[in-house]
Amino acid sequence: MALDYLLLKKIHLHCVGLSVALFALRLGLRLAAPERLAAWKVLRVLPHGVDTLLLSTAIAMVVVGGIDLLQSPWLLAKIGALGLYIVLGSVALKRATTRTGQAAAGLAALATVGWIVATAVGKQPWLP
Ligand code: HEM
């Protein structure tokens, strides 16, 4: 079981890196060359696959590790911040119509994901 958990954590971490890199790439293209973002279908499909795997491994770790969410404030904070990251990401990549709005929402989304990583590493709901 410990091995399963460690394997899930490894996959989770690789998905985190890929997810953030793909988001940053899409944000950069949206700001600098939106026509390319629209043309590269892989950039619309791949992030969904990676994010689904990221969430699946997260849920699997909670189940396999027998983690009680109510006893883990850092995980509850993470889930809340994940919701914020999704909303900000969708504003940056889809809803915002001005470049200023896209850039502001994109930077806020990257700051949010940075905060999620900090709470995950420190296992505390606030910045360590
Ligand atoms: C964008 C979203 C997420 C990011 C960026 C992220 C990031 C991370 C990072 C960096 C770690 C490694 C921490 C360490 O150094 O030990 C980690 C571990 C973990 N994450 Fe996530 N995570 C995300 C979403 C989630 C969600 C939604 C859940 C829960 C439903 C979750 C559950 C876990 C668990 C259980 C661990 C393992 C903790 C341990 O055993 O050390 N993650 N995450």
Side-chain angles (χ1 to χ4, degrees):
M1 187 174 106
L3 185 66
D4 291 345
Y5 186 88
L6 289 180
L7 181 63
L8 287 167
K9 189 168 162 179
K10 218 172 211 180
I11 299 172
H12 186 68
L13 287 181
H14 280 94
C15 289
V16 167
L18 254 181
S19 174
V20 175
L22 283 169
F23 176 73
L25 177 62
R26 286 190 296 161
L27 180 65
L29 283 175
R30 175 100 210 248
L31 292 171
E35 67 289 344
R36 282 207 197 158
L37 181 59
W40 288 354
K41 206 174 163 198
V42 66
L43 286 181
R44 284 201 300 274
V45 179
L46 190 60
H48 289 301
V50 171
D51 291 343
T52 303
L53 192 57
L54 187 149
L55 261 187
S56 309
T57 51
I59 294 166
M61 275 190 291
V62 170
V63 174
V64 171
I67 298 171
D68 181 354
L69 285 182
L70 296 178
Q71 301 295 320
S72 315
W74 68 277
L75 264 184
L76 291 177
K78 229 175 136 175
I79 293 168
L82 177 65
L84 183 63
Y85 174 52
I86 291 169
V87 170
L88 288 169
S90 137
V91 171
L93 297 178
K94 291 192 191 115
R95 288 163 214 268
T97 48
T98 63
R99 289 178 81 202
T100 311
Q102 292 160 0
L107 289 179
L110 288 172
T112 304
V113 84
W115 182 72
I116 296 177
V117 170
T119 56
V121 172
K123 311 276 185 289
Q124 289 178 41
W126 308 111
L127 285 180

